[in-house]
Amino acid sequence: MHTALMVILLVTSVILILSILLQSSKSDGLSGSIAGGAEQLFGKKKSNGYDAILSKITTIVSIIYIVVSLVIVAIFN
């Protein structure tokens, strides 16, 4: 049981890292703060496609990661 939960935790952590790294940046960093927030207000909305899928995957995998971590702590401590 402990080994299976640890494997699930390992797989979810790798998927979580990859899904976060593959997402595009939401801001321009320091140059975006100097230029102003007009790009955020009137910019393109990326609610469809690749970024939306990665965002949903990140949310679901992070919830699974937290639940599995809490189960491991509750059972084995």
Side-chain angles (χ1 to χ4, degrees), residues 1-3 5-6 70-77:
M1 176 86 170
H2 184 266
T3 306
L5 288 174
M6 293 302 285
L70 290 175
V71 167
I72 289 174
V73 168
I75 290 176
F76 299 107
N77 280 339

Side-chain angles (χ1 to χ4, degrees), residues 2-76:
H2 184 266
T3 306
L5 288 174
M6 293 302 285
V7 168
I8 292 171
L9 193 65
L10 177 69
V11 170
T12 56
S13 63
V14 169
I15 294 171
L16 187 61
I17 290 169
L18 290 176
S19 67
I20 290 172
L21 288 177
L22 289 174
Q23 289 181 11
S24 63
S25 176
K26 303 285 189 232
S27 67
D28 294 332
L30 188 58
S31 64
S33 65
I34 293 172
E39 181 66 30
Q40 286 181 344
L41 188 59
F42 300 111
K44 300 179 201 172
K45 294 196 176 204
K46 296 183 178 179
S47 61
N48 299 350
Y50 185 67
D51 289 329
I53 292 170
L54 282 176
S55 177
K56 289 177 186 175
I57 289 173
T58 304
T59 303
I60 292 169
V61 172
S62 63
I63 291 170
I64 293 170
Y65 181 83
I66 291 170
V67 168
V68 171
S69 298
L70 290 175
V71 167
I72 289 174
V73 168
I75 290 176
F76 299 107

